[in-house]
Amino acid sequence: MSESTPSVLFVCVHNAGRSQMAAAFLSHLAGDTVEVRSAGSAPADTLNPAVVEAMAEVGIDISARTPKALTVEAVRASDVVITMGCGDTCPVFPGKRYLDWKLDDPAGQGVEAVRPIRDEIGRRIRGLLGELGVHVV
């Protein structure tokens, strides 16, 4: 990890659900103490509406976000890369910390199915903040 602000990249296939929720939670909880990115190996056109609704329920508005394509530069610029079902499409560089979070895919699911995924991501983000030494209130 860099000695300045740690940077975290969340990657899933469509960058329309899991990685967007994780990035939003981390930004919401850590503010500017962590640099946050998210991307998809095959990005969708828009965010999953059930994901937007589920995040709004916990006070986090992601309605203006858009899926982004995974780039080598984004991986290279990140200290921690967290994959969420993107398989082997994520480039691997020495010196980076890689985590693979096995999470259900919210694609095609209603908000009832998205809530437990959202809550699990929130728990993992809080744990990650502890590992990064970032303290939130």
Side-chain angles (χ1 to χ4, degrees):
M1 219 163 28
S2 65
E3 296 185 352
S4 57
T5 304
S7 59
V8 179
L9 169 64
F10 297 99
V11 183
C12 66
V13 176
H14 300 298
N15 191 225
R18 295 167 288 187
S19 56
Q20 290 281 355
M21 287 190 283
F25 267 122
L26 186 53
S27 295
H28 180 76
L29 294 171
D32 60 2
T33 61
V34 177
E35 187 178 350
V36 181
R37 298 177 182 86
S38 72
S41 53
D45 293 329
T46 59
L47 264 54
N48 177 331
V51 167
V52 173
E53 182 179 342
M55 292 302 288
E57 290 175 353
V58 295
I60 302 174
D61 180 9
I62 63 170
S63 61
R65 295 180 183 227
T66 56
K68 293 176 269 330
L70 176 65
T71 64
V72 170
E73 293 78 25
V75 177
R76 192 174 280 135
S78 300
D79 299 309
V80 181
V81 179
I82 300 175
T83 58
M84 303 171 165
C86 72
D88 297 329
T89 60
C90 300
V92 176
F93 293 103
K96 306 290 178 197
R97 180 175 174 206
Y98 290 88
L99 301 170
D100 186 36
W101 288 359
K102 304 282 189 220
L103 296 159
D104 291 335
D105 189 346
Q109 303 291 322
V111 71
E112 299 79 19
V114 173
R115 286 183 188 119
I117 301 168
R118 173 203 64 201
D119 295 345
E120 177 60 23
I121 289 171
R123 280 190 289 280
R124 292 182 189 207
I125 292 299
R126 286 175 179 83
L128 177 67
L129 285 167
E131 291 172 24
L132 293 173
V134 175
H135 301 286
V136 295
V137 178

